[in-house]
Amino acid sequence: MVATAAAQLQAPWGLDFLPDGSALVTERDTTRVLHLVPQPGQQRYDVREVATVDQAAPEGESGLLGIAVSPSFEQDQRVFLYVSTAEDNRVLRTTFDGSSLGELEPILTGIPNGFIHDGGRLAFGPDGFLYVSTGEIGQPDLAQDRGSLGGKILRLTVDGDPAPGNPRPDSPIWTLGHRNVQGLAFDDRDRLWASEFGQDAWDELNRVEKGSNYGWPAVEGRGGEDAPEEFRDPARQWATSEASPSGLAYADGSLWMAALRGNRLWQVPVTQGGTGEPVPHLVGDFGRLRTVAVAPDGRLWVTTSNRDGRGTPADADDRILVVDTGEDS
């Protein structure tokens, strides 16, 4: 079953839930932060604008991107944003009092930004640290450059410092060799997974492990016998026509991956040793799908991205869909 939580949005990008069951949503191009509040007895949510992030400078794939609510929100009211400014991509920390955002404080700056491949996903791990995906902004060599924050997954404290236990104590870099990661999700064994855009051949789902190198730009998809030993192969790969993956979430024993060009929602069963055979859902039903998040009731919220300049919008677009994972919809 698929329902609609909200409609007529403009390229919603980031999505996370508050302890009371309401949600905060970012719009990439308008730079608005929206608060979605449930209407009693109805499927729809009231959509309230709570901030416009003036620091954001949208262009191409950049703008106001990911959002993450603090795991201890009930005590600290903190919210974290990934923002493209005129100079860089950066992580901002703020607070939310139920009606508006507080002061926007940069806690990590200097992430390369560009017209494309800006990464932008934020996710708190079971360890309490903030994981941040970045892109190589169309400059592939940045992904292997340990002196650059581009083409990486970062691991931070809530103050923006390198988290204890990182591969290098003085660096926020957790993994490298990424082209453009836009999905991060932890499974029920506390393992981190990431969805990643390929170039011409293969999109990837990667099992993310401390200090690992995922091969870009030397390798796209599985590297084979000739690839350097230190490069990690993806857990799954897809032709770019079937995926162009963005958001990622874990629920009911599977990873759920939104596909932009693929116009579908991929279900990837997770096993103790890896992954099972992927199953496509919603194929062609709602156009480009950007973000997936698990709601407090266990259902999935999936955002469309048909007003991002690359889709064909329907009258109701963009929408936030509510998907029951117990049924093949």
Side-chain angles (χ1 to χ4, degrees), residues 20 29 50 65 149 156 158 173 194 204 214 217 241 245 248 276 279 296:
D20 65 1
D29 301 333
V50 296
L65 303 178
L149 298 181
L156 309 175
V158 294
I173 295 172
E204 301 178 2
Y214 292 84
S241 60
L248 190 68
V279 179

Side-chain angles (χ1 to χ4, degrees), residues 15 119 126 154 158 162 190 219 242 249 258 303 320:
L15 167 63
L154 313 178
V158 294
D190 295 345
V219 174
E242 296 179 324
T303 73
I320 297 178

Side-chain angles (χ1 to χ4, degrees), residues 58-70:
E59 185 180 19
E61 296 175 1
S62 66
L64 178 57
L65 303 178
I67 189 168
V69 172
S70 168

Side-chain angles (χ1 to χ4, degrees), residues 194-249:
S195 52
E196 182 165 349
F197 287 89
Q199 180 169 260
D200 300 316
W202 300 112
D203 293 322
E204 301 178 2
L205 173 68
N206 283 298
R207 167 78 177 89
V208 177
E209 295 186 321
K210 175 181 177 179
S212 294
N213 188 330
Y214 292 84
W216 180 256
V219 174
E220 179 184 2
R222 298 188 180 99
E225 295 180 357
D226 296 332
E229 185 176 347
E230 68 268 23
F231 289 172
R232 289 288 303 271
D233 277 344
R236 286 283 167 179
Q237 65 181 27
W238 290 263
T240 55
S241 60
E242 296 179 324
S244 295
S246 186
L248 190 68

Side-chain angles (χ1 to χ4, degrees), residues 177-197:
H178 300 287
R179 185 170 182 261
N180 190 25
V181 170
Q182 285 193 4
L184 296 171
F186 288 87
D187 66 19
D188 59 358
R189 297 179 180 89
D190 295 345
R191 300 177 297 185
L192 177 59
W193 301 82
S195 52
E196 182 165 349
F197 287 89

Side-chain angles (χ1 to χ4, degrees), residues 1-2 249-256 265 267 281 292-295 297-302 322-329:
M1 182 180 71
V2 181
Y250 177 81
D252 296 334
S254 293
L255 290 160
W256 301 83
L265 178 66
Q267 177 186 3
H281 300 269
V292 190
V294 182
D297 64 6
R299 293 185 296 175
L300 300 178
W301 280 31
V302 181
V322 181
V323 180
D324 187 341
T325 63
E327 298 184 23
D328 185 350
S329 50

